[in-house]
Amino acid sequence: MRMVFIGAEPEDFDRARCRLLDEFEAWAEIRGRAVDPDAVGAVLEYRYLTDGLLGRWTGALLREVLSHEFAEVEATPAAVGALFDFFADTDLFDDRSDSVEFLREALADLEDGFNEQQRQTHRPQFSTPVFDLAEDDELREQAEGTVMVRRMHEFLIWLDKDRVLPDDIDDFPGGRRLFALAEAIGMFHEAEPPEELLTDALALWSKMFDRMDGWVGAESPSGFIDGDGKILLGLLAAIFGGQGHAPEDLLFEASVTNEPLAHDEFDQLRTLIFEYGLAVREVRTIRRLLPEAHDEEEVARPLYRLLPLGVHALHGVYSHGGIHTTTFTDLTRETPEVMIAKMLASDPALADALMESWIAMHPPRVARAELIELIGRTDDFEHRMFALDLLGKLGQIGTDAIVALRDNPICGPCVATWLSRYGMLPEEDISERELVYVRLDVLTSGLRQAPGRTMAQFAAQPRHLQVLMVEDMPGSGHPCTGEVLAKIATDHPDDFVAKAARQALDRLLAE
């Protein structure tokens, strides 16, 4: 069972919550225990909205949840206690959780003083992608090359020793704004400008970023923060949230209002982003889905990519605002499931370096045990395949462990595919059932994450191969067979294949 939903779409979480609640209710029925599934579902959703770690619990988090006023249910200590007992019995607690004994003691203490009247509505804190923070030397070099730092250095040389607005200020391009910015960052507070700002490009850049209001001529810092500054940070967050890049049209739609100068305002903010070296504009060729033809086309699209200074700036703003952030270094110390989930929600360019760093931070035998547990438990195809890749990177002890998983009824088909890919298992040794099982893994993952694109790719295969696969699905033993067949039966563009899926689904339900 997948327990980490960092960056996952709400639909993915909703399906997983239903499966988890089904198992929870079955567990409770076997034990003759009265439970409140609605309350437990609300608690799971709260964890999804905070950081996506459904199985990670601490005493502080427990107090936070029990003090939260849910809209339609009561998350009582009894409801949370039942969830904890279920997690303990089914080994679903995250390895970084407080101990079960500590959580039960904390729950008992909280239950004694539990007061419905003391509840408040909290806004769950969102989870950010991975911040791959550059070293200060790299940031310093980047800052030295920005338009703003170069312009300020040139202005200070021109200004010489003047500490008041000179009469010929307009002779220097943008002189009045530069003078206002220099004044705002403390260049004129003493007889001589601070040495650090003259010799350290990163220190100067940081001061100028913090007082961007002085550069744009805002009436006050707070006015800028609540206005254009807020929109600018929103643009940086949108780029960062798009795995380090975002299409120009989406950024424009996210930033403009219905005011007549909307386009001009966007251009001004974009100029600020470029002048401060926060991001660059690039034209990339991407693939776009054509729903009518169930095909794809290549289109050139302008994208914005965040630069190291932009990542650094956004991380600083988030940290100062009390928003929890995750850095590259943080992830190397995490559980493999959290690391993989965060990696999939972040810039793909980080993947190889992150996996190598994670392996370097964990003793091989500890890493092997954690990865074997994840591979056998998760029902997420991507997570399982990345975990197999990680296990393979451990060397001989990793490959021996993978071979040992070959006969596992749940993950065995994936393992067979992995072994075949790396030449460790002849293709003829993979059974037809295992091939269908793995194809179902791929389809399940694709239909959950990109249903339109996945259905189009499936429909692009020869019709007879689609029908054969659909007919083989009921005998695969895959737990998500019904989900996939139902999706094909309702959404497939070819009525013939859709009908075959309905008939296969009927056979599955009749078994």
Side-chain angles (χ1 to χ4, degrees), residues 11-88:
E11 295 80 7
D12 289 343
F13 166 72
D14 287 339
R15 282 188 290 265
R17 176 173 56 175
C18 289
R19 294 194 297 273
L20 196 59
L21 287 176
D22 286 344
E23 292 194 18
F24 172 67
E25 290 185 79
W27 168 87
E29 185 176 353
I30 290 172
R31 285 155 183 76
R33 185 165 179 175
V35 295
D36 185 351
D38 291 337
V40 170
V43 169
L44 291 172
E45 182 177 26
Y46 188 89
R47 292 299 289 120
Y48 162 66
L49 293 173
T50 49
D51 57 15
L53 309 183
L54 306 189
R56 182 170 297 183
W57 287 85
T58 63
L61 182 58
L62 177 58
R63 286 189 293 274
E64 178 185 317
V65 168
L66 287 178
S67 66
H68 179 71
E69 184 177 356
F70 291 90
E72 299 177 356
V73 298
E74 292 183 10
T76 62
V80 178
L83 178 64
F84 284 179
D85 290 343
F86 168 65
F87 280 175

Side-chain angles (χ1 to χ4, degrees), residues 45-244:
E45 182 177 26
Y46 188 89
R47 292 299 289 120
Y48 162 66
L49 293 173
T50 49
D51 57 15
L53 309 183
L54 306 189
R56 182 170 297 183
W57 287 85
T58 63
L61 182 58
L62 177 58
R63 286 189 293 274
E64 178 185 317
V65 168
L66 287 178
S67 66
H68 179 71
E69 184 177 356
F70 291 90
E72 299 177 356
V73 298
E74 292 183 10
T76 62
V80 178
L83 178 64
F84 284 179
D85 290 343
F86 168 65
F87 280 175
D89 284 356
T90 53
D91 198 27
L92 291 177
F93 270 119
D94 184 283
D95 290 343
R96 304 297 194 273
S97 289
D98 287 338
S99 69
V100 179
E101 293 75 17
F102 176 86
L103 289 172
R104 283 173 175 154
E105 289 177 7
L107 193 61
D109 292 340
L110 290 168
E111 192 166 14
D112 290 340
F114 183 68
N115 186 344
E116 290 281 352
Q117 303 304 318
Q118 294 177 355
R119 290 186 161 185
Q120 298 177 349
T121 300
H122 307 288
R123 176 175 291 180
Q125 191 182 97
F126 65 88
S127 178
T128 65
V130 181
F131 283 91
D132 185 19
L133 299 176
E135 298 290 338
D136 282 356
D137 286 345
E138 181 183 349
L139 292 173
R140 196 167 282 111
E141 183 179 346
Q142 294 262 327
E144 189 73 53
T146 61
V147 170
M148 290 304 301
V149 168
R150 293 202 311 269
R151 191 178 285 165
M152 182 58 76
H153 281 162
E154 293 167 359
F155 177 68
L156 292 175
I157 292 172
W158 177 84
L159 194 62
D160 197 17
K161 296 186 179 298
D162 284 337
R163 294 293 176 268
V164 295
L165 192 67
D167 294 336
D168 58 349
I169 188 68
D170 293 325
D171 291 348
F172 193 95
R176 292 181 182 276
R177 294 169 65 201
L178 284 166
F179 190 90
L181 179 57
E183 200 168 36
I185 64 177
M187 279 290 188
F188 307 143
H189 290 175
E190 305 292 339
E192 294 290 334
E195 183 68 20
E196 182 187 37
L197 299 186
L198 295 177
T199 59
D200 188 335
L202 180 57
L204 176 60
W205 181 92
S206 298
K207 284 282 189 180
M208 290 195 294
F209 178 81
D210 290 342
R211 291 307 310 270
M212 196 180 284
D213 60 286
W215 172 242
V216 301
E219 293 183 3
S220 66
S222 60
F224 176 74
I225 291 171
D226 292 337
D228 285 347
K230 186 175 182 179
I231 299 174
L232 184 141
L233 289 175
L235 294 177
L236 296 182
I239 299 172
F240 186 60
Q243 296 188 334

Side-chain angles (χ1 to χ4, degrees), residues 252 255-269:
F252 178 75
S255 66
V256 301
T257 62
N258 293 323
E259 299 294 329
L261 297 179
H263 283 82
D264 291 341
E265 290 168 352
F266 179 73
D267 287 342
Q268 291 169 8
L269 291 173

Side-chain angles (χ1 to χ4, degrees), residues 69 233 289 335 445:
E69 184 177 356
L233 289 175
L289 183 66
T335 65
S445 178

